């Protein structure tokens, strides 16, 4: 991955002393590379998932089946990103 020096780097909001491997609730954001709208489109105010968006939905909903210590909660798939809440046990 290359770094474009014209794009300002965002400051990390992670807590320096927090162990992110510990149990708890986590808000997760995943953005498509280049912010490309790969997962579908918004039509009349409603998100319409395409094949890639459906795959993201299935993977998110299936995380608890793959990982015994994970509970998935609310999530939303947007055209170029996903937001969701997971609980790690």
């Amino acid at each position: 991955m290359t770094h474009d020096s014209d794009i300002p780097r965002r400051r990390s909001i992670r807590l320096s002393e927090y162990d992110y491997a510990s149990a708890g609730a986590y808000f997760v954001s995943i953005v498509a590379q280049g912010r490309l709208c790969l997962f579908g489109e918004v039509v009349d105010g409603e998100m319409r998932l395409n094949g890639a968006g459906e795959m993201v939905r299935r993977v998110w909903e299936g995380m608890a089946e793959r990982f015994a210590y994970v509970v998935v909660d609310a999530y939303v798939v947007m055209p170029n990103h996903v937001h969701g809440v997971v609980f790690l046990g």
Side-chain angles (χ1 to χ4, degrees):
M1 183 166 112
T2 61
H3 173 68
D4 186 341
S5 61
D6 294 334
I7 299 174
R9 300 210 35 107
R10 294 189 334 182
R11 182 181 64 81
S12 175
I13 60 172
R14 299 186 98 190
L15 301 173
S16 61
E17 301 300 318
Y18 186 76
D19 178 7
Y20 284 91
S22 63
Y26 293 88
F27 179 80
V28 178
S29 292
I30 303 169
V31 180
Q33 184 174 357
R35 298 186 182 271
L36 296 175
C37 293
L38 302 176
F39 308 133
E41 61 183 336
V42 177
V43 177
D44 296 327
E46 180 181 319
M47 181 61 194
R48 304 259 173 97
L49 299 177
N50 60 19
E54 286 293 336
M55 177 194 65
V56 169
R57 181 191 60 75
R58 285 191 310 270
V59 168
W60 184 270
E61 291 177 355
M63 273 196 295
E65 295 170 15
R66 293 188 65 201
F67 305 103
Y69 55 88
V70 171
V71 175
V72 295
D73 198 36
Y75 72 97
V76 61
V77 180
M78 299 301 292
N80 65 357
H81 65 283
V82 180
H83 294 299
V85 176
V86 294
F87 294 89
L88 303 182

